[in-house]
Amino acid sequence: MTLYRFPVFRALPPTADFWAKYVGGGDPEAYPGIGLILHVVYGGAAGGLFGVGISLVDFRSERQRDLGAIGLSLAYGLALSVFGTRVVFQHLLDEELEPAEALVFHVGHAIYGLTLGTWMTSRERSGDVYE
């Protein structure tokens, strides 16, 4: 999500704004490292929560597990995106995204969700892929 967003949007993730408003003060542009690190940590924690949740689902077959995990992870990524726009931006940061910014924000979360689901369903080990 962070890697997709940064070159396309050319702005720091909202974690820099959050840090500037609630911890460090001043301009979010003064916290690029903290903003990026927090964004990666947030994505990792959210991915871990998804991993725990998906492990509790009893799928009937391996195919259903793969497709279900990818579908649920996409929905999860989009739910995080809606949470970000409705709660983080509007209520915590008192900001609203422009339409072009919102598009990049939502697509980034969709990519995050699809990547998470694909990663969760991958059973390949190093060296086994092309055998």
Side-chain angles (χ1 to χ4, degrees), residues 1 42 71-86 102-103 105-114:
M1 175 173 50
Y42 152 77
L72 289 171
S73 66
L74 174 60
Y76 183 69
L78 292 173
L80 290 175
S81 188
V82 170
F83 175 81
T85 57
R86 301 281 193 264
L103 176 65
F105 189 80
H106 294 308
V107 169
H109 283 85
I111 289 170
Y112 168 79
L114 290 170

Side-chain angles (χ1 to χ4, degrees), residues 35-131:
L36 291 171
I37 289 169
L38 284 176
H39 203 237
V40 170
V41 168
Y42 152 77
L49 288 174
F50 179 81
V52 169
I54 200 73
S55 71
L56 301 174
V57 178
D58 187 25
F59 293 101
R60 294 181 187 176
S61 69
E62 189 173 315
R63 179 176 167 79
Q64 281 185 348
R65 182 189 189 295
D66 291 350
L67 294 176
I70 290 171
L72 289 171
S73 66
L74 174 60
Y76 183 69
L78 292 173
L80 290 175
S81 188
V82 170
F83 175 81
T85 57
R86 301 281 193 264
V87 175
V88 175
F89 276 106
Q90 289 180 358
H91 294 298
L92 296 177
L93 299 176
D94 296 322
E95 295 179 17
E96 195 158 328
L97 292 173
E98 299 286 328
E101 296 168 339
L103 176 65
V104 171
F105 189 80
H106 294 308
V107 169
H109 283 85
I111 289 170
Y112 168 79
L114 290 170
T115 302
L116 178 62
T118 304
W119 185 70
M120 295 293 295
T121 61
S122 175
R123 288 169 206 59
E124 300 295 334
R125 299 289 179 248
S126 180
D128 292 345
V129 177
Y130 298 110
E131 291 181 7

